[in-house]
Amino acid sequence: MQLHTLIYYEFKILLKQKAFLAALAFPMMFSLIFSVGPVMVLTQDPLTLYVLNQDVPFTVGNNTYDLGNQVLSNLEKGASNASVIIETLQSFDEFITKENAILLPQNFSLVAYTTLTAFYFMRVSSSDIRVETIMDGYVNPTIFQTMVDVLNISRIPQVAAQPFLTLEEINNGQNEQDRRALAFPLTYMVFLILMIGSSFMRIVSFTKEKQNNMMEVVLASVRNRTDLIMSKIAVGLTIGLLIPISYIVGVFLGYLINRYYYGIEFDNPIVLPTDIFTIPILLAILFLFFGLNLTTMGMTLLSQLIFGREVGDRISNFLHIAMAFVFYFTLIADPFTETILQILNPYFWPYRIVLNIIFHQDLIKTVGYALVFGLVNFALIKSSSAAIQQEKVLFE
Amino acid sequence: MKNSSEAAVVFQNVFKYFERKPVLNDLSFTIPKNQISAILGPNGAGKTTSVRCMTGLLKIDKGKIEVFGNDVSSQSELIRTKVGLVPQTNSGYTALTAKDNLEFMARLYGTSRHVSDELIDRLTHELSLTDRLGTAWGKLSGGEQRAFSLIRAILTGAQLLILDEPTAGLDMQRAHLVRNLIKSLLKEGKTIILSSHIITDIEQLSSNIIIMKNGQAITQGDINTIISQFSSSGELDDAILQAFEAPRIG
């Protein structure tokens, strides 16, 4: 009965605080800015597209077909309307070093004439997000129209492009790319949300009781002190889940704005990619933040109750920031690395559990991490319940 | 010492140390049921500490405290259902309105909404605070917060009310209303412990006075007993000041 009342009024007080509403909007704004910002900036200047034309014209009867040069010429003609600058390359060595480049091969005209398929190679950049839109919306239609005009054909031609990858790029493997596509932005998201969340947890914890001189009244009125701890944790966890939800909403809003306003499908590598969002992955991400916030809340409560509000806040703040930094900067180069620094970091455990579950890795280690995670958080809650009985709670 | 069935609170040879310094030093006194008892003493006498020990907020190091026959050390959860507190400092959730703060306490003690609404209406009317119910706690004056704190303690429905400086910061008119309200609580069978430096409160409200000094109760009795023991002028304030200087009696 008292627990229900405590939780109800915890929420009521929280909803009256402007800091809560501002902090809730913050993750959404972050992911939105990271999604839409690069598109806004990049669409201000035209994209430079490099073309290497190796096509060798060929003759059939009285007709000579020089499709490569015609395509190049047409691309240059329409370039300004499509916000593209066409630059011609002279050698394959130049092509292989360029991003946003296309290669019209030696047999471009011949293959197009004999198979009615214009086949070319492309190198697309990971840094300029517009290139795929330019390929689909400008290059391919221009090649298509040129084929129709030049080849005097009776049926619909095709345009096919093959990504041109170096051996090194091929060796990296698609599977690894898929894994990193989730793991890398997830580490960033964890870092960002931990930084925002730790200040949140202080709002939810005993700060307001101390500031409003309510500690004495509340302690004299609540029969079971564990109810007090549980009400704080319940509210902290709810808010802790609202923060990543706010972030994910920002990702989707950014996706929609890019897709329907700028006409570009873009997933910033530091923002969660929209194409990996499935219900199980979303649930796993929410579990991850449940775990992270449980630990954060437990540490905040315990340090406030043991050391008093001011010292406790400083200690818990330092611990959160240090652990979040260690988490992020040891994983930034390789989100799958697992060193002693990470194994000792409580924020790493739920992260690793979630990655292992999503990518079906190492069941035994996953169970081990889950056990340690459960035990540590249980100990934090029990210690907080014990610490609230101490006299220090009243005086500091 | 009164029979424990007639006593609301009994302190028996209680010791409490802070950093090895005795704050309560062999403290013994009895608070009778259904009376207003005042605990008086100079700063540092141990009044607030004894109140906190009574509510189980602080653990005693030696001795025994009973509240309505229940040992505070072993039955602190039960004691908390029987005690309502107006602490020394103004306290309330500043983000909530005065009414929210009152309802919070009523809900915490399981008072139904219907009963608490009626009580809040009646009590705020008696203290001329009805029009301040919707005001954020942080925007109330110190005196208004004090008066609302008393209502909040009454809403607990507790049999023992501990009021630490209940009229501090109140204007004369509202202080008068608060004293009347406290007197009326006796008719509902409440036991009240008052800690106050305001002589009018003590004169008009208290039937039993405990004077503390250096963590001990140096004397206990009704107003006339205290005056006859310590004052040649027959004035209560003079008697209290003399008592603060006196050694322990009995």
Side-chain angles (χ1 to χ4, degrees), chain A residues 1-303:
Chain A
M1 184 64 193
Q2 283 199 315
L3 180 61
H4 172 261
T5 304
L6 288 168
I7 291 174
Y8 175 80
Y9 279 91
E10 279 289 336
F11 274 114
K12 193 159 186 170
I13 293 166
L14 199 68
L15 289 171
K16 300 248 174 176
Q17 292 181 335
K18 286 177 187 144
F20 165 69
L21 299 172
L24 205 56
F26 200 58
M28 187 175 69
M29 297 306 294
F30 244 99
S31 55
L32 194 60
I33 288 166
F34 280 123
S35 300
V36 179
V39 178
M40 286 172 71
V41 172
L42 285 167
T43 48
Q44 304 299 311
D45 299 316
L47 174 90
T48 302
L49 184 70
Y50 300 94
V51 182
L52 174 63
N53 179 19
Q54 293 184 327
D55 185 29
V56 177
F58 76 100
T59 305
V60 178
N62 293 329
N63 296 325
T64 297
Y65 296 101
D66 186 4
L67 196 58
N69 272 326
Q70 285 294 326
V71 165
L72 186 55
S73 167
N74 287 343
L75 282 174
E76 283 169 341
K77 274 184 205 161
S80 60
N81 288 338
S83 287
V84 180
I85 295 170
I86 302 292
E87 281 197 16
T88 325
L89 299 175
Q90 300 306 319
S91 69
F92 182 77
D93 289 343
E94 279 184 289
F95 170 75
I96 203 73
T97 59
K98 293 289 185 201
E99 290 186 324
N100 307 335
I102 62 173
L103 165 64
L104 306 178
Q106 279 187 338
N107 57 358
F108 182 67
S109 292
L110 181 62
V111 171
Y113 179 78
T114 52
T115 66
L116 285 182
T117 299
F119 184 84
Y120 70 96
F121 294 99
M122 64 177 182
R123 287 183 68 75
V124 293
S125 124
S126 56
S127 60
D128 199 318
I129 55 187
R130 293 169 298 166
V131 67
E132 287 192 20
T133 310
I134 296 292
M135 289 293 178
D136 292 340
Y138 178 59
V139 175
N140 289 350
T142 303
I143 293 174
F144 178 89
Q145 193 56 51
T146 309
M147 285 173 76
V148 171
D149 293 344
V150 172
L151 296 180
N152 192 23
I153 50 181
S154 55
R155 62 188 175 89
I156 295 171
Q158 303 290 318
V159 178
Q162 173 72 31
F164 197 100
L165 296 171
T166 62
L167 262 180
E168 188 189 0
E169 287 162 346
I170 292 166
N171 286 340
N172 279 341
Q174 189 59 41
N175 185 37
E176 187 64 13
Q177 282 178 28
D178 284 348
R179 289 169 49 179
R180 281 163 201 276
L182 173 65
F184 182 74
L186 203 56
T187 56
Y188 172 76
M189 184 181 171
V190 167
F191 176 68
L192 177 74
I193 289 174
L194 280 175
M195 299 302 276
I196 298 169
S198 65
S199 57
F200 242 131
M201 296 309 163
R202 287 204 302 282
I203 297 176
V204 177
S205 60
F206 287 104
T207 306
K208 64 180 176 300
E209 275 77 14
K210 300 258 182 178
Q211 281 173 344
N212 298 330
N213 298 319
M214 278 296 281
M215 207 69 203
E216 191 169 355
V217 174
V218 168
L219 286 174
S221 309
V222 177
R223 286 189 292 281
N224 184 354
R225 302 279 167 81
T226 306
D227 281 356
L228 258 182
I229 300 291
M230 294 314 291
S231 69
K232 302 282 178 194
I233 286 178
V235 179
L237 285 180
T238 310
I239 294 158
L241 289 181
L242 288 177
I243 299 175
I245 288 171
S246 158
Y247 187 94
I248 290 167
V249 167
V251 173
F252 274 108
L253 282 179
Y255 170 79
L256 292 175
I257 292 171
N258 287 341
R259 176 88 172 75
Y260 295 106
Y261 187 76
Y262 291 105
I264 290 170
E265 286 193 32
F266 165 59
D267 282 325
N268 189 328
I270 62 166
V271 176
L272 284 176
T274 43
D275 60 351
I276 55 130
F277 278 165
T278 58
I279 296 294
I281 288 182
L282 280 175
L283 288 177
I285 289 173
L286 289 182
F287 165 77
L288 167 62
F289 284 95
F290 172 87
L292 292 171
N293 287 304
L294 186 62
T295 308
T296 306
M297 194 71 210
M299 286 198 310
T300 306
L301 286 174
L302 187 60
S303 54

Side-chain angles (χ1 to χ4, degrees), chain B residues 91-165:
Chain B
S91 57
Y93 290 116
T94 50
L96 296 179
T97 63
K99 187 169 189 191
D100 286 335
N101 272 281
L102 298 180
E103 284 178 340
F104 167 63
M105 197 51 68
R107 294 292 99 71
L108 213 50
Y109 278 79
T111 312
S112 72
R113 187 171 291 276
H114 174 69
V115 172
S116 69
D117 280 352
E118 271 187 15
L119 258 177
I120 289 170
D121 280 350
R122 179 169 69 80
L123 295 172
T124 51
H125 179 72
E126 282 183 34
L127 297 186
S128 299
L129 286 167
T130 309
D131 60 337
R132 304 297 283 158
L133 273 171
T135 308
W137 187 271
K139 297 203 170 153
L140 297 170
S141 70
E144 287 169 334
Q145 288 183 354
R146 207 85 204 118
F148 273 122
S149 297
L150 175 63
I151 297 175
R152 187 177 60 194
I154 295 169
L155 281 168
T156 62
Q159 283 305 296
L160 174 64
L161 294 175
I162 301 172
L163 315 179
D164 203 342
E165 306 282 1

